[in-house]
Amino acid sequence: NRSIQFSSDHIVSVSGKNGNPLQDIRTPEENAALADFIMTFIREKASNPDTALHCSVAGGRKTMSLFLGLALQFFGRPQDCLSHVLIWPPELEGNPDFFYPPKKPKIYRLGDREISSQEVKVHLAEIPLLLLREKIPILKEKNGLSYSELVQRVQQDFELLSSPFPLQVDRTGRSLRVGEKVI
């Protein structure tokens, strides 16, 4: 029986540049550290062809969800998916008594009304992704680029697609010039 393991050994803390866990994301430096951490984490997990990543944008800070989705677009494979958990009624979101409908029915107080856990609807909505990993050469390379540097390099590759370097053939000099590079 293979069951999913959830223990303190499976909790991953986001570390800052100094290696200490981030308490929150409140500064541009902490935001950059979060982006780098998530990108590196997803790249490493996606490097194993025998795994499938099931990533959820539910919960946490919005920036965490955004960086997770962007990292999965960069490094995700066809077997990976990004999803969001949708809950009805929406008033249950953020309710400290609710995590998931319990096996034993429970009543939740929502302002001036009550709802039974048996009435709660939970939907898993898949979020379609553009999978760029195999389309952009820099994403295939193992490099030490930060998230911001990687985005800049990918943007440069996209700009080349829309406006390629000029090509000049010099027959007498037997050379080929692509942009500034002579071959």
Side-chain angles (χ1 to χ4, degrees):
N1 179 16
R2 293 178 51 188
S3 62
I4 297 174
Q5 300 295 311
F6 290 112
S7 72
S8 59
D9 294 338
H10 298 94
I11 296 173
V12 178
S13 296
V14 178
S15 300
K17 292 213 183 258
N18 59 8
N20 294 329
L22 294 180
Q23 300 303 309
D24 202 350
I25 313 321
R26 295 283 181 198
T27 67
E29 294 77 24
E30 291 167 340
N31 195 61
L34 172 68
D36 292 344
F37 181 88
I38 291 174
M39 180 191 66
T40 300
F41 182 85
I42 293 297
R43 180 188 303 175
E44 287 173 3
K45 297 298 180 191
S47 69
N48 182 348
D50 296 328
T51 64
L53 302 178
H54 295 270
C55 302
S56 173
V57 298
R61 290 212 170 272
K62 286 179 244 170
T63 51
M64 296 171 89
S65 297
L66 178 64
F67 288 138
L68 176 64
L70 292 170
L72 207 54
Q73 274 200 210
F74 279 165
F75 302 108
R77 295 117 350 131
Q79 71 263 34
D80 300 328
C81 71
L82 183 66
S83 62
H84 185 49
V85 177
L86 305 172
I87 299 171
W88 184 91
E91 297 91 348
L92 276 176
E93 288 183 24
N95 185 317
D97 295 329
F98 179 80
F99 178 70
Y100 194 80
K103 289 181 182 180
K104 184 178 175 185
K106 180 178 179 175
I107 301 295
Y108 298 99
R109 178 163 273 303
L110 304 175
D112 59 351
R113 67 185 178 113
E114 292 182 340
I115 186 169
S116 168
S117 60
Q118 293 172 313
E119 297 175 71
V120 173
K121 305 277 188 265
V122 178
H123 300 280
L124 187 64
E126 190 166 335
I127 300 169
L129 291 168
L130 291 172
L131 300 176
L132 302 175
R133 172 192 186 117
E134 298 301 320
K135 308 295 183 213
I136 312 257
I138 190 76
L139 297 176
K140 294 181 196 177
E141 299 172 13
K142 200 152 189 163
N143 56 58
L145 297 177
S146 70
Y147 173 79
S148 295
E149 292 166 333
L150 187 63
V151 168
Q152 185 177 17
R153 291 284 301 274
V154 170
Q155 186 62 44
Q156 289 170 352
D157 284 356
F158 276 138
E159 287 169 11
L160 285 176
L161 293 174
S162 62
S163 58
F165 287 124
L167 177 68
Q168 296 175 335
V169 177
D170 180 358
R171 291 183 185 167
T172 55
R174 298 182 64 172
S175 67
L176 177 67
R177 179 184 288 271
V178 181
E180 299 299 316
K181 193 169 200 161
V182 177
I183 302 169

